[in-house]
Every structure is written in structure tokens, then in C-alpha cells.
Amino acid sequence: EAAIVAAREAHALAQTEWCSKLEAFAARRKTLQEEFNRAEQKRLEELKKEKARYSKECAEREEEFADYNAGIDSLIANLDYGAVEAVENYFTIVFSRSIYPEFFPVLHEFNFEPSTAELCLRVLVPPPSELNTTKAYKYVKKNDEIASTMLSQKARKDRYSAAVHQVALRSIHEIFEADRRALIKMVSLEVGCDATDPATGKIGFIPLAAVAAEREAFLEFDLSAVVPKITLEHLGAALSKNPYVLIAADRSGVRRA
């Protein structure tokens, strides 16, 4: 009988402990559920905000691209009419994609004259003083150093003159090549640099090449086989006798708008 009573008491105690643990687990589960619900609510609110932000960004991008495309459509339409602003905007894009070496930056200034279908272009190249005159580098073992040799005066002169002539021819080619609508019938071009004029001592633009080229005649040239200086002379260009020492070209005989 005592054993039965002891067993019953042990069972009751175990049952009490079980119920206590069960209540604790239930309370813990309730706490975790509440924490989860709060975290989920916060996540949903943040997700809602992010969706709204993303939708706003998408709308702004769509509006931006719509405006951009409308601008392109307007540019194309106005190009068809030969509108001055559209033509100049178009060639601004063309020249912005005319890539030259970092050590030889080239700038373009131009305006379009619709009455004559002429593009008047001024191309600024670096003056000779800004260009590197190093011919080569070599390692000198005896001194454990890198030595350089300089270009001769004639080589400097020839290289700079060739660069001026090539820029002139390239610039004309870029205009006619990009102008698929044949809006430009004539290009009047000056290539030069901003520097101190040895003739006057004043700083300003020094023209080193000036030329006018008609579209139909120029497009007949095979530029892969020409010598730029001879081609410019064929076009009646005024060329500096010595660009390297900044002797200005005589532009008096060159057609200008």
C-alpha cells in the first residue's frame, strides 16, 4: 500500500512538472510567435517602402528615357528639315566621338550656314611646345638608368606638319562620312593652335592649314591611298610653310563663308 501511494505521488509530481514545462513551452512559443509577427510586420513595411522606391525609380527612368527618345526623334525630324540647331547638335555628337591620343587632344568649334549648306569648322590642335620630343628610351647598364634620345629638329618638324595635315583631312572626312542626309555641301576648315604668334608676340589662334572642300569632289577621293599634304594642296588649301615654328598659313586665297 505504501508503495502504491509513493508511486501515485511520484506520478502526480511528474505530471505537475510536465504541465509546468508544457506551460513554459507554450509561453515561449507565444513569445517567439509575437517576435516573429513583429519582425514580419517590419519586413512587410520595409518591402512596401522598397517597392514604392523601386517603382518611383522605374517611373523616373521611364520618363528620362521617354524624354531622351523624344529628343532623338525631334533631332532626327529637325535634321530632315536641315534645322541649324539640329545640325549643330548632331555634329557636336559626331565630334565628341572623334577620338585622338591623350597626348594630342583636339577640339572642334563650328557653325552651320543653311543658306549655303556650309559647315565652318575650326580645329584646335596642341602647339608644338606641348608635344613630347623623345625618340626612344634605352637602359644604360653602366649607370643603371634609363636614358632617352631626342628627335632631330627635322623629325619634329616633319611629324608636327604631318599631324596638322592629317587632322585637316580626317576632319573633312568625318563630316561627310557622318552626314548621311547630305546636308553639308561644303566644308570650310581651319586647323591651328592657340599659342604666341612669333610674328606679333600676341597669344591667339594661329592657322596652320585652311581649306574648303565640296562634298561631291571630296567623296571621290580614295583616302586610303592619298598623301594628306598633296590632297590638301589639290583642294587649294593654304598651308603653313613651317607649322612647327608657328608660321601662319596665308588664308587670303581660300574660300570662306
Side-chain angles (χ1 to χ4, degrees), residues 197-256:
D197 190 335
T200 65
K202 295 181 178 180
I203 297 177
F205 178 75
I206 303 175
L208 303 175
V211 64
E214 293 182 345
R215 179 186 186 87
E216 292 183 4
F218 189 85
L219 291 179
E220 291 180 357
F221 296 164
D222 179 4
L223 297 182
S224 65
V226 303
V227 176
K229 181 181 180 181
I230 297 176
T231 302
L232 292 172
E233 291 173 343
H234 176 75
L235 290 170
L239 302 177
S240 167
K241 295 179 180 178
N242 191 343
Y244 190 75
V245 296
L246 302 178
I247 296 178
D250 181 5
R251 297 172 290 175
S252 59
V254 179
R255 180 191 180 280
R256 287 177 289 174

Side-chain angles (χ1 to χ4, degrees), residues 44-252:
L44 292 175
E45 290 174 356
E46 291 178 350
L47 179 62
K48 183 179 180 180
K49 290 180 181 178
E50 287 301 309
K51 284 184 175 179
R53 181 188 62 79
Y54 178 71
S55 297
K56 181 181 178 182
E57 290 179 354
C58 288
E60 290 174 349
R61 282 194 294 268
E62 290 292 336
E63 183 178 358
E64 180 182 350
F65 283 120
D67 292 342
Y68 177 79
N69 291 333
I72 295 297
D73 292 339
S74 176
L75 175 62
I76 293 172
N78 289 329
L79 275 176
D80 289 336
Y81 291 111
V84 174
E85 183 178 1
V87 173
E88 292 183 347
N89 285 341
Y90 176 69
F91 279 102
T92 296
I93 297 172
V94 171
F95 290 126
S96 71
R97 285 160 172 72
S98 179
I99 307 301
Y100 283 84
E102 291 184 2
F103 62 84
F104 196 86
V106 172
L107 298 176
H108 303 85
E109 300 172 356
F110 62 91
N111 64 278
F112 175 59
E113 177 52 56
S115 63
T116 57
E118 181 172 6
L119 191 74
C120 302
L121 175 65
R122 172 174 286 185
V123 183
L124 292 171
V125 298
S129 59
E130 294 183 5
L131 299 180
N132 190 348
T133 58
T134 303
K135 179 180 180 181
Y137 295 92
K138 65 178 180 179
Y139 173 67
V140 181
K141 185 176 181 180
K142 179 180 179 181
N143 301 326
D144 190 28
E145 62 181 18
I146 302 297
S148 61
T149 57
M150 311 304 291
L151 289 168
S152 66
Q153 192 71 12
K154 182 179 185 305
R156 298 178 196 179
K157 172 184 173 182
D158 292 345
R159 185 171 69 168
Y160 190 74
S161 298
V164 170
H165 301 152
Q166 290 168 18
V167 168
L169 210 57
R170 168 177 167 172
S171 299
I172 299 172
H173 166 71
E174 287 177 331
I175 293 171
F176 289 139
E177 178 67 20
D179 181 24
R180 301 302 173 86
R181 290 173 174 78
L183 298 171
I184 308 300
K185 304 300 182 184
M186 170 74 73
V187 172
S188 58
L189 168 72
E190 290 181 329
V191 178
C193 61
D194 285 332
T196 301
D197 190 335
T200 65
K202 295 181 178 180
I203 297 177
F205 178 75
I206 303 175
L208 303 175
V211 64
E214 293 182 345
R215 179 186 186 87
E216 292 183 4
F218 189 85
L219 291 179
E220 291 180 357
F221 296 164
D222 179 4
L223 297 182
S224 65
V226 303
V227 176
K229 181 181 180 181
I230 297 176
T231 302
L232 292 172
E233 291 173 343
H234 176 75
L235 290 170
L239 302 177
S240 167
K241 295 179 180 178
N242 191 343
Y244 190 75
V245 296
L246 302 178
I247 296 178
D250 181 5
R251 297 172 290 175
S252 59

Side-chain angles (χ1 to χ4, degrees), residues 27-40:
R28 176 61 177 164
R29 182 181 182 282
K30 181 180 179 181
T31 299
L32 293 175
Q33 185 66 48
E34 290 174 349
E35 291 177 355
F36 170 79
N37 291 340
R38 288 193 295 270
E40 181 66 7

